Short mmCIF file of all heavy atoms in Angstrom, two decimals:
data_model
loop_
_atom_site.label_atom_id
_atom_site.label_comp_id
_atom_site.label_asym_id
_atom_site.label_seq_id
_atom_site.Cartn_x
_atom_site.Cartn_y
_atom_site.Cartn_z
N VAL Z 1 0.85 -1.29 -0.04
CA VAL Z 1 -0.02 -0.08 0.04
C VAL Z 1 0.82 1.25 -0.01
O VAL Z 1 0.87 2.09 -0.95
CB VAL Z 1 -0.96 -0.02 1.20
CG1 VAL Z 1 -1.75 1.28 1.29
CG2 VAL Z 1 -1.95 -1.19 1.14
N SER Z 2 1.72 1.39 1.03
CA SER Z 2 2.44 2.75 1.20
C SER Z 2 3.58 2.96 0.30
O SER Z 2 3.90 4.00 -0.15
CB SER Z 2 2.87 2.89 2.63
OG SER Z 2 3.88 1.99 2.95
N LEU Z 3 4.21 1.79 -0.11
CA LEU Z 3 5.32 1.89 -1.08
C LEU Z 3 4.98 1.46 -2.50
O LEU Z 3 5.58 1.96 -3.48
CB LEU Z 3 6.54 1.05 -0.60
CG LEU Z 3 7.06 1.37 0.79
CD1 LEU Z 3 8.30 0.42 1.09
CD2 LEU Z 3 7.49 2.82 0.87
N GLY Z 4 3.91 0.61 -2.59
CA GLY Z 4 3.67 0.11 -3.93
C GLY Z 4 2.61 0.93 -4.71
O GLY Z 4 2.86 1.51 -5.70
N ALA Z 5 1.38 0.96 -4.08
CA ALA Z 5 0.21 1.64 -4.77
C ALA Z 5 0.24 3.14 -4.47
O ALA Z 5 -0.06 3.90 -5.32
CB ALA Z 5 -1.08 1.01 -4.32
N MET Z 6 0.65 3.65 -3.41
CA MET Z 6 0.62 4.99 -2.99
C MET Z 6 1.42 5.92 -3.86
O MET Z 6 0.87 6.97 -4.30
CB MET Z 6 0.96 5.26 -1.49
CG MET Z 6 0.67 6.57 -0.90
SD MET Z 6 -1.20 6.87 -0.90
CE MET Z 6 -1.59 5.83 0.47
N PRO Z 7 2.54 5.56 -4.36
CA PRO Z 7 3.19 6.60 -5.28
C PRO Z 7 2.47 6.78 -6.52
O PRO Z 7 2.37 7.84 -7.11
CB PRO Z 7 4.55 5.81 -5.56
CG PRO Z 7 4.79 5.02 -4.35
CD PRO Z 7 3.47 4.54 -3.98
N ILE Z 8 1.80 5.67 -7.05
CA ILE Z 8 0.98 5.83 -8.35
C ILE Z 8 -0.14 6.71 -7.96
O ILE Z 8 -0.66 7.52 -8.89
CB ILE Z 8 0.67 4.46 -8.91
CG1 ILE Z 8 1.95 3.70 -9.26
CG2 ILE Z 8 -0.23 4.58 -10.07
CD1 ILE Z 8 1.75 2.32 -9.71
N TYR Z 9 -0.77 6.47 -6.84
CA TYR Z 9 -1.95 7.27 -6.50
C TYR Z 9 -1.60 8.75 -6.31
O TYR Z 9 -2.35 9.62 -6.79
CB TYR Z 9 -2.65 6.65 -5.25
CG TYR Z 9 -3.72 7.63 -4.69
CD1 TYR Z 9 -4.82 7.91 -5.39
CD2 TYR Z 9 -3.54 8.23 -3.42
CE1 TYR Z 9 -5.90 8.73 -4.84
CE2 TYR Z 9 -4.53 9.11 -2.93
CZ TYR Z 9 -5.69 9.27 -3.65
OH TYR Z 9 -6.58 10.15 -3.15
N ARG Z 10 -0.47 9.05 -5.67
CA ARG Z 10 -0.07 10.33 -5.35
C ARG Z 10 0.47 11.14 -6.54
O ARG Z 10 0.12 12.32 -6.84
CB ARG Z 10 1.04 10.37 -4.33
CG ARG Z 10 0.64 9.88 -2.89
CD ARG Z 10 0.03 10.95 -2.09
NE ARG Z 10 -0.25 10.46 -0.72
CZ ARG Z 10 -1.33 10.93 -0.11
NH1 ARG Z 10 -2.13 11.65 -0.60
NH2 ARG Z 10 -1.45 10.45 1.15
N PHE Z 11 1.23 10.40 -7.37
CA PHE Z 11 1.95 11.10 -8.47
C PHE Z 11 1.64 10.69 -9.84
O PHE Z 11 2.11 11.27 -10.85
CB PHE Z 11 3.43 11.05 -8.19
CG PHE Z 11 3.81 11.32 -6.80
CD1 PHE Z 11 4.30 10.25 -5.99
CD2 PHE Z 11 3.59 12.56 -6.27
CE1 PHE Z 11 4.75 10.49 -4.76
CE2 PHE Z 11 4.08 12.74 -4.83
CZ PHE Z 11 4.55 11.79 -4.14
N GLY Z 12 0.91 9.62 -10.00
CA GLY Z 12 0.54 9.08 -11.31
C GLY Z 12 -0.37 9.85 -12.28
O GLY Z 12 -1.19 10.60 -11.70
N THR Z 13 -0.18 9.66 -13.55
CA THR Z 13 -1.08 10.26 -14.41
C THR Z 13 -2.54 9.45 -14.39
O THR Z 13 -2.65 8.41 -13.85
CB THR Z 13 -0.62 10.25 -15.93
OG1 THR Z 13 -0.49 8.91 -16.26
CG2 THR Z 13 0.71 10.87 -15.94
N ASP Z 14 -3.44 10.07 -15.01
CA ASP Z 14 -4.78 9.30 -15.11
C ASP Z 14 -4.61 8.09 -15.79
O ASP Z 14 -5.24 6.93 -15.33
CB ASP Z 14 -5.76 10.24 -15.83
CG ASP Z 14 -6.19 11.35 -15.11
OD1 ASP Z 14 -6.02 11.54 -13.91
OD2 ASP Z 14 -6.77 12.33 -15.74
N GLU Z 15 -3.87 7.95 -16.82
CA GLU Z 15 -3.53 6.65 -17.56
C GLU Z 15 -2.87 5.76 -16.72
O GLU Z 15 -3.20 4.42 -16.63
CB GLU Z 15 -2.78 7.02 -18.83
CG GLU Z 15 -2.56 5.77 -19.60
CD GLU Z 15 -1.65 5.97 -20.85
OE1 GLU Z 15 -1.44 7.22 -21.18
OE2 GLU Z 15 -1.35 5.10 -21.56
N GLN Z 16 -1.89 6.08 -15.90
CA GLN Z 16 -1.12 5.25 -15.00
C GLN Z 16 -2.00 4.68 -13.87
O GLN Z 16 -1.99 3.55 -13.61
CB GLN Z 16 0.10 5.96 -14.44
CG GLN Z 16 1.17 6.23 -15.52
CD GLN Z 16 2.32 7.18 -15.02
OE1 GLN Z 16 2.07 7.88 -13.99
NE2 GLN Z 16 3.40 7.21 -15.73
N GLN Z 17 -2.80 5.55 -13.34
CA GLN Z 17 -3.67 5.17 -12.36
C GLN Z 17 -4.73 4.20 -12.77
O GLN Z 17 -5.05 3.18 -12.15
CB GLN Z 17 -4.44 6.31 -11.69
CG GLN Z 17 -3.47 7.29 -10.93
CD GLN Z 17 -4.11 8.53 -10.49
OE1 GLN Z 17 -5.32 8.84 -10.82
NE2 GLN Z 17 -3.41 9.31 -9.58
N ALA Z 18 -5.34 4.35 -14.02
CA ALA Z 18 -6.37 3.42 -14.58
C ALA Z 18 -5.69 2.12 -14.83
O ALA Z 18 -6.41 1.17 -14.79
CB ALA Z 18 -6.93 4.13 -15.82
N ARG Z 19 -4.39 2.15 -15.28
CA ARG Z 19 -3.77 0.91 -15.71
C ARG Z 19 -3.43 0.04 -14.43
O ARG Z 19 -3.67 -1.21 -14.41
CB ARG Z 19 -2.52 1.18 -16.45
CG ARG Z 19 -1.79 -0.06 -16.94
CD ARG Z 19 -0.54 0.20 -17.71
NE ARG Z 19 0.17 -1.10 -18.11
CZ ARG Z 19 1.34 -1.12 -18.61
NH1 ARG Z 19 1.87 -0.01 -19.01
NH2 ARG Z 19 1.92 -2.15 -18.91
N TRP Z 20 -2.95 0.65 -13.41
CA TRP Z 20 -2.37 -0.05 -12.31
C TRP Z 20 -3.14 -0.19 -11.08
O TRP Z 20 -3.16 -1.18 -10.39
CB TRP Z 20 -0.96 0.55 -11.97
CG TRP Z 20 0.08 0.47 -13.05
CD1 TRP Z 20 0.57 1.48 -13.75
CD2 TRP Z 20 0.64 -0.70 -13.69
NE1 TRP Z 20 1.47 1.13 -14.74
CE2 TRP Z 20 1.54 -0.30 -14.65
CE3 TRP Z 20 0.48 -2.08 -13.51
CZ2 TRP Z 20 2.31 -1.11 -15.50
CZ3 TRP Z 20 1.23 -3.01 -14.17
CH2 TRP Z 20 2.16 -2.51 -15.15
N LEU Z 21 -3.79 0.85 -10.62
CA LEU Z 21 -4.42 0.93 -9.35
C LEU Z 21 -5.60 -0.16 -9.09
O LEU Z 21 -5.63 -0.75 -8.08
CB LEU Z 21 -5.05 2.34 -9.07
CG LEU Z 21 -4.00 3.45 -8.79
CD1 LEU Z 21 -4.70 4.78 -8.45
CD2 LEU Z 21 -3.19 3.01 -7.60
N PRO Z 22 -6.36 -0.38 -10.10
CA PRO Z 22 -7.48 -1.43 -9.81
C PRO Z 22 -6.96 -2.85 -9.26
O PRO Z 22 -7.37 -3.43 -8.40
CB PRO Z 22 -8.09 -1.61 -11.14
CG PRO Z 22 -8.04 -0.18 -11.84
CD PRO Z 22 -6.63 0.18 -11.37
N LYS Z 23 -5.86 -3.29 -10.03
CA LYS Z 23 -5.28 -4.58 -9.56
C LYS Z 23 -4.52 -4.41 -8.22
O LYS Z 23 -4.51 -5.33 -7.42
CB LYS Z 23 -4.32 -5.12 -10.63
CG LYS Z 23 -5.00 -5.53 -11.91
CD LYS Z 23 -4.02 -6.05 -13.02
CE LYS Z 23 -4.77 -6.58 -14.22
NZ LYS Z 23 -3.79 -7.11 -15.13
N LEU Z 24 -3.88 -3.32 -8.03
CA LEU Z 24 -3.04 -3.07 -6.82
C LEU Z 24 -4.04 -2.99 -5.63
O LEU Z 24 -3.75 -3.44 -4.53
CB LEU Z 24 -2.15 -1.96 -6.90
CG LEU Z 24 -0.98 -2.02 -7.91
CD1 LEU Z 24 -0.22 -0.67 -7.96
CD2 LEU Z 24 -0.05 -3.21 -7.77
N LEU Z 25 -5.06 -2.28 -5.77
CA LEU Z 25 -6.05 -2.00 -4.60
C LEU Z 25 -6.83 -3.17 -4.33
O LEU Z 25 -7.42 -3.25 -3.23
CB LEU Z 25 -6.88 -0.76 -4.98
CG LEU Z 25 -6.10 0.52 -5.33
CD1 LEU Z 25 -7.08 1.74 -5.21
CD2 LEU Z 25 -4.99 0.69 -4.38
N SER Z 26 -6.95 -4.17 -5.27
CA SER Z 26 -7.83 -5.36 -4.98
C SER Z 26 -6.95 -6.45 -4.43
O SER Z 26 -7.44 -7.44 -3.99
CB SER Z 26 -8.49 -5.89 -6.31
OG SER Z 26 -7.48 -6.34 -7.20
N GLY Z 27 -5.63 -6.26 -4.52
CA GLY Z 27 -4.68 -7.31 -3.98
C GLY Z 27 -4.49 -8.32 -5.05
O GLY Z 27 -3.65 -9.31 -4.85
N GLU Z 28 -5.05 -8.15 -6.25
CA GLU Z 28 -4.71 -9.06 -7.27
C GLU Z 28 -3.28 -9.02 -7.68
O GLU Z 28 -2.69 -9.99 -8.27
CB GLU Z 28 -5.64 -8.74 -8.41
CG GLU Z 28 -5.54 -9.60 -9.68
CD GLU Z 28 -6.40 -9.21 -10.78
OE1 GLU Z 28 -7.36 -8.45 -10.53
OE2 GLU Z 28 -6.23 -9.74 -11.95
N ALA Z 29 -2.65 -7.87 -7.58
CA ALA Z 29 -1.27 -7.65 -8.00
C ALA Z 29 -0.61 -6.77 -6.88
O ALA Z 29 -1.22 -6.14 -6.09
CB ALA Z 29 -1.23 -6.94 -9.27
N LEU Z 30 0.73 -7.04 -6.83
CA LEU Z 30 1.58 -6.17 -5.78
C LEU Z 30 2.58 -5.38 -6.57
O LEU Z 30 2.88 -5.65 -7.76
CB LEU Z 30 2.38 -7.16 -5.01
CG LEU Z 30 1.51 -8.17 -4.00
CD1 LEU Z 30 2.41 -9.16 -3.32
CD2 LEU Z 30 0.60 -7.39 -3.12
N ALA Z 31 3.10 -4.31 -5.95
CA ALA Z 31 4.13 -3.49 -6.56
C ALA Z 31 5.24 -3.31 -5.48
O ALA Z 31 4.90 -3.24 -4.19
CB ALA Z 31 3.61 -2.20 -7.02
N GLY Z 32 6.46 -3.08 -6.01
CA GLY Z 32 7.59 -2.73 -5.13
C GLY Z 32 7.98 -1.32 -5.26
O GLY Z 32 7.70 -0.64 -6.29
N PHE Z 33 8.81 -0.89 -4.38
CA PHE Z 33 9.41 0.46 -4.50
C PHE Z 33 10.88 0.36 -4.48
O PHE Z 33 11.54 0.17 -3.44
CB PHE Z 33 8.84 1.39 -3.32
CG PHE Z 33 9.16 2.81 -3.39
CD1 PHE Z 33 8.67 3.59 -4.42
CD2 PHE Z 33 10.00 3.37 -2.40
CE1 PHE Z 33 9.05 4.90 -4.38
CE2 PHE Z 33 10.35 4.81 -2.54
CZ PHE Z 33 9.83 5.49 -3.60
N GLY Z 34 11.56 0.57 -5.53
CA GLY Z 34 13.06 0.49 -5.72
C GLY Z 34 13.81 1.68 -5.35
O GLY Z 34 14.08 2.46 -6.22
N LEU Z 35 14.04 1.99 -4.12
CA LEU Z 35 14.82 3.05 -3.72
C LEU Z 35 16.23 2.73 -3.18
O LEU Z 35 17.26 3.09 -3.70
CB LEU Z 35 14.13 3.82 -2.48
CG LEU Z 35 14.91 4.90 -1.84
CD1 LEU Z 35 15.18 6.00 -2.72
CD2 LEU Z 35 14.02 5.42 -0.63
N THR Z 36 16.36 1.76 -2.23
CA THR Z 36 17.63 1.44 -1.53
C THR Z 36 18.50 0.75 -2.58
O THR Z 36 18.03 -0.12 -3.42
CB THR Z 36 17.36 0.56 -0.38
OG1 THR Z 36 16.59 1.25 0.50
CG2 THR Z 36 18.70 0.08 0.28
N GLU Z 37 19.78 1.09 -2.56
CA GLU Z 37 20.88 0.29 -3.32
C GLU Z 37 21.84 -0.24 -2.64
O GLU Z 37 22.04 -0.01 -1.41
CB GLU Z 37 21.46 1.37 -4.30
CG GLU Z 37 20.37 2.07 -5.31
CD GLU Z 37 20.93 2.94 -6.33
OE1 GLU Z 37 22.19 3.07 -6.32
OE2 GLU Z 37 20.27 3.48 -7.19
N PRO Z 38 22.58 -1.26 -3.21
CA PRO Z 38 23.69 -1.89 -2.37
C PRO Z 38 24.57 -0.99 -1.74
O PRO Z 38 25.01 -1.30 -0.57
CB PRO Z 38 24.35 -2.77 -3.57
CG PRO Z 38 23.25 -3.12 -4.42
CD PRO Z 38 22.46 -1.89 -4.46
N GLY Z 39 24.94 0.04 -2.29
CA GLY Z 39 25.84 1.05 -1.77
C GLY Z 39 25.38 2.28 -1.19
O GLY Z 39 26.07 3.07 -0.71
N THR Z 40 24.03 2.41 -1.23
CA THR Z 40 23.37 3.60 -0.68
C THR Z 40 22.15 3.26 0.09
O THR Z 40 21.12 3.04 -0.51
CB THR Z 40 22.92 4.56 -1.82
OG1 THR Z 40 22.10 3.92 -2.74
CG2 THR Z 40 24.15 5.09 -2.72
N GLY Z 41 22.33 3.20 1.39
CA GLY Z 41 21.19 2.88 2.32
C GLY Z 41 20.50 4.13 2.86
O GLY Z 41 19.61 4.81 2.13
N SER Z 42 20.91 4.68 3.82
CA SER Z 42 20.37 5.94 4.44
C SER Z 42 20.59 7.14 3.63
O SER Z 42 19.90 8.02 3.52
CB SER Z 42 20.99 6.13 5.87
OG SER Z 42 20.65 5.20 6.74
#
């Protein structure tokens, strides 16, 4: 929710929201948030 679907809800275009949110909000699909890297944590 907070890392997967929320970025698309907060910042996505209408098209991105229409494509991804229905499946993410139903639990039919999951999403990840790729921020942390092997050499850059905090």
